[in-house]
Amino acid sequence: MPILKKIKNPFIEAKGEEYNCFGCSPNNQDGLLMEFFTDEESVFSMWKPRRRFEGYHNVIHGGIQATIMDEIASWTIYALVGTAGVTQKMQVNYHKTLYANDSEIKVVAKVKMQNEKQAIIAVQLINSRGVVCSTAEVDYFLFPEKIAKAKYHYPGKEFFIK
């Protein structure tokens, strides 16, 4: 079994209390509070659902599921692809109900395709019983690393892996 390494969030140190990302900031108590790990082939997150993210009673809203998948895709770009980018397109499929009272959700992202200007990230949301509840294919436009560092404060791939 591959060893998982925690992916460091360098934006916390860089922005301090001003860092308020809905997906990954520990400062945003209304957010998703996601943390990430990698085996250097995939990126993983274990996410605890909360009732505040419901759509229907006890069902995690589909938009929240899409946001979780978009967020981990972004961290896959940072930590595995080695640059920053923006989502161009996202195809989401909802397979099974994702319940708000589930103990923990596993989120897995893998680079499906990558070239100089684009990456496609495949993502799965898996409930605590191992059932794939939703999937996404996220198409990212990639910035050249030099532009990612200069304009988007990307610190470099080496700052993400502990």
Side-chain angles (χ1 to χ4, degrees):
M1 181 171 199
I3 297 172
L4 291 182
K5 297 177 185 174
K6 183 166 177 48
I7 297 174
K8 180 181 174 190
N9 186 335
F11 306 114
I12 295 170
E13 291 176 21
K15 297 180 182 179
E17 289 183 24
E18 295 293 314
Y19 185 57
N20 200 41
C21 176
F22 180 76
C24 63
S25 174
N27 301 326
N28 188 341
Q29 294 306 304
D30 293 324
L32 298 171
L33 305 171
M34 294 178 73
E35 294 183 310
F36 305 96
F37 301 85
T38 186
D39 62 4
E40 298 188 27
E41 291 183 16
S42 301
V43 173
F44 305 88
S45 183
M46 299 305 289
W47 183 72
K48 174 70 177 120
R50 295 182 302 264
R51 299 272 321 265
R52 75 171 119 219
F53 299 123
E54 284 182 342
Y56 286 113
H57 175 71
N58 197 34
V59 175
I60 297 296
H61 191 285
I64 294 296
Q65 293 180 55
T67 302
I68 290 167
M69 292 188 283
D70 190 43
E71 184 72 14
I72 198 169
S74 176
W75 281 84
T76 303
I77 299 297
Y78 293 152
L80 297 185
V81 175
T83 191
V86 291
T87 303
Q88 287 183 302
K89 179 174 73 170
M90 185 171 174
Q91 175 68 45
V92 178
N93 294 296
Y94 301 98
H95 307 284
K96 299 286 183 182
T97 304
L98 185 62
Y99 292 104
N101 67 352
D102 203 339
S103 59
E104 197 168 49
I105 306 304
K106 183 178 183 179
V107 190
V108 182
K110 294 182 181 201
V111 178
K112 183 176 178 180
M113 186 285 298
Q114 175 188 344
N115 61 37
E116 188 177 305
K117 295 185 180 196
Q118 179 188 21
I120 298 175
I121 309 301
V123 184
Q124 295 182 316
L125 261 66
I126 305 165
N127 72 17
S128 61
R129 294 172 307 288
V131 175
V132 175
C133 294
S134 56
T135 57
E137 207 169 82
V138 187
D139 292 14
Y140 258 82
F141 172 79
L142 302 176
F143 299 121
E145 186 177 4
K146 189 181 238 182
I147 291 172
K149 287 181 175 184
K151 288 188 175 182
Y152 301 101
H153 310 289
Y154 177 72
K157 185 176 179 178
E158 64 276 7
F159 285 90
F160 288 90
I161 307 297
K162 283 188 170 185

